[in-house]
Amino acid sequence: MKRISAAVALTAAGALVISGCAAGGGDDTGDDSGLVEGSAITAAWNQAFYSMNGNTSFGNATANNNINYLTLDGFNYYNNTPELVENTSFGTYELVSEDPLTVTFTVAEDVTWSDGTPVDAADLMLNWAALSRALDTPDFSPDDFTDPDTGEFTESFPTDVVYFDSGATPESGMGLVSETPEVGEDGRSITMTFDQPFVDWDLVFTPPLPAHVVAKNALGIEDNEEAKQALLDAIENEDAEALAPISSFWNSGFNFTELPDDPERYLATGPYMITDFVADEYITLKANPEYKGENAANIEEITIRFIPDPLAAVQALENGEVDIISPQATADIKTALDGIDGITVLTGLEGTYEHVDLQFDQGKNSQNIFSNAQAREAFMKVIPRQEIVDTLIKPIIGDDAILRDSQLFVPGAEGYDEAAADNTSANFAEVDIEGAKALLAESGITDTSVCILYASNNPRRVNEFALIQASAAQAGFNVTDCGSEEWGGLLGTPGAYDASLFGWQSTSLGVTNSLPTFVTGGINNMNFYSNERVDEIITELNGTFDAETQIELQVEMDRLLWEDFYGVTIFQFPSVTAYSDRVENIDPSIIAPTIFWNAWDWAVTDGGSEE
């Protein structure tokens, strides 16, 4: 018998990650029955994993962070309420002083990597160096050393510069910790002093990568403890000669599309560890025997198959080849799932939104078309936002399918209605061909080609691209196809495209964590946008603890983004998760990592292994 849930409400959400697809919400549940030996299930996702470092501009994608969430432990995570949960079995954090803002992060005793090496201050210090970029070579830009076909750094990348590709800026987050932290006497803690107050100080630490592995590879050291000490020395002495190869390995050493020969490149601290990985086919996770935390796995083995075509994912579920799917929702998907018995279907809205960004600089067009404000406004006028919603989204969720009219606020969240009324999104609710023609003529642009980057193996995106292309042609734009299956790694690559069509997925409820999308030089600033007042607002938000003032600042910022013709938001994602009756405790969150947030609680109902 099939069970179908009702749609869920959305709450405001913060930090953003490049989205593939995600799921709807539910209630917090748990299962402390313990590991069932021999138990195994298979889930499906629409994009292949390619990096264990989700903190780089290249690796910051849902496809990666789903896996990293289960294999790399951290100080906190979000449940599906959603609310922040302090993961004290990994470590704790303490506010030492409010003025100056000083905090101590401490790794719990007996926390180790899956090779048995203790997690300690060296791992935390590497995380600080990478996420603050306080030790980077000043004024270095990687733009000339980025492959436009892959988005990765080229072999010609200078070997004598310190550059951590985290996108950190001095005005926000860990970038506000410009002084080198102090290592505690216990060897498991560091104390950081912020340059100014920062409202989301408890969210600055993401799960660390193994310092001993980075240092061994970067510095040619074989012993784990010697490697960690060498890394600490390099950081504390600001040794640029040693930090250059350290930053280089941190940037790219954890990128891989199949199981590496060196097992140290995929060590784990979380409840699961990678044990098998076949390019473009699947990745297998097994319960980590070294994990001693509170979120111990119930199921011994989880295999995640990469199935880009959502209808193929539905077919795999019906055939019993996979147990859990969370494909990008379409009308065809809904119809197909309605015809399957023996499954549970959860539907609703989620914390991901579709949008089109325009490249303010370094586009593919010979005249860098969207450096011109009139050309940007003209193109926004021809994006058929309402037609996209009516054609592709309403057949799935009916009247819940609405235009999203804010770059910062989720529909229904406090501040959304005020922002939508204050900004100029209404000017782009309907297509205006004649207005676009006039603006394009006034712009002086003669090369009207616009190459759009999108996921070429995603049916909904293919349809969106076609609708935009047809509409834009009526105003004189020549929209060309920059679609790619490797679209995520290409975002932000100079010269690769002129506009991008993708989704931002919320990963946090923090006030400040969506701001790296819009701050000059931020990790999520893929379109080279820069506005001095927006940067000022972001700096103000970093230290603003009053909720009413936070909303006022964000409303002003939202208005500026629309007035700058940043790009358009289109819709909030509809979600669908379906799973077979042989699994239970599938209870998605509206924010990342959606279905995977409680994968350690998943259980096989028959207690057996998958055939």
Side-chain angles (χ1 to χ4, degrees), residues 198-214:
F198 182 64
V199 64
D200 290 327
W201 62 266
D202 53 342
L203 302 177
V204 296
F205 251 117
T206 59
L209 292 166
H212 65 290
V213 175
V214 173

Side-chain angles (χ1 to χ4, degrees), residues 459-484:
R460 190 164 77 199
R461 295 261 165 76
V462 171
N463 289 331
E464 289 180 72
F465 171 78
L467 291 172
I468 294 171
Q469 184 181 49
S471 177
Q474 297 178 57
F477 287 102
N478 175 28
V479 172
T480 59
D481 194 334
C482 271
S484 170

Side-chain angles (χ1 to χ4, degrees), residues 129-301:
L131 301 185
S132 71
R133 297 181 59 203
L135 305 177
D136 277 19
T137 301
D139 301 322
F140 172 76
S141 171
D143 291 348
D144 293 335
F145 309 101
T146 304
D147 189 331
D149 295 323
T150 66
E152 292 190 90
F153 292 145
T154 62
E155 293 182 1
S156 62
F157 195 97
T159 58
D160 59 348
V161 299
V162 182
Y163 182 79
F164 287 98
D165 181 34
S166 68
T169 63
E171 299 85 14
S172 184
M174 195 76 89
L176 291 168
V177 186
S178 60
E179 291 186 13
T180 303
E182 294 183 10
V183 175
E185 293 183 3
D186 56 12
R188 294 180 289 105
S189 65
I190 67 172
T191 298
M192 306 188 302
T193 301
F194 287 74
D195 300 334
Q196 62 189 51
F198 182 64
V199 64
D200 290 327
W201 62 266
D202 53 342
L203 302 177
V204 296
F205 251 117
T206 59
L209 292 166
H212 65 290
V213 175
V214 173
K216 286 168 73 174
N217 283 274
L219 305 178
I221 301 173
E222 294 185 4
D223 181 78
N224 288 351
E225 292 304 316
E226 288 182 15
K228 287 199 286 188
Q229 187 58 54
L231 183 139
L232 283 172
D233 291 343
I235 291 174
E236 292 175 335
N237 297 328
E238 299 186 17
D239 181 355
E241 185 176 353
L243 288 168
I246 286 171
S247 65
S248 178
F249 190 85
W250 186 89
N251 290 338
S252 59
F254 298 97
N255 298 339
F256 50 87
T257 56
E258 59 185 1
L259 197 69
D261 293 333
D262 180 6
E264 289 193 334
R265 291 179 62 194
Y266 52 95
L267 295 181
T269 52
Y272 283 95
M273 56 189 292
I274 298 172
T275 56
D276 194 14
F277 182 17
V278 175
D280 298 320
E281 292 187 23
Y282 65 85
I283 192 166
T284 298
L285 311 178
K286 283 192 176 181
N288 178 4
E290 294 291 329
Y291 180 76
K292 305 175 184 68
E294 296 176 355
N295 297 322
N298 285 330
I299 295 175
E300 185 170 31
E301 181 176 289

Side-chain angles (χ1 to χ4, degrees), residues 49 58 67 109 126 174 209 229 241 279 399 417 424 460 522:
F49 175 88
F58 177 77
I67 307 301
E109 292 187 55
L126 173 61
M174 195 76 89
L209 292 166
Q229 187 58 54
E241 185 176 353
D399 291 339
D417 289 342
T424 58
R460 190 164 77 199

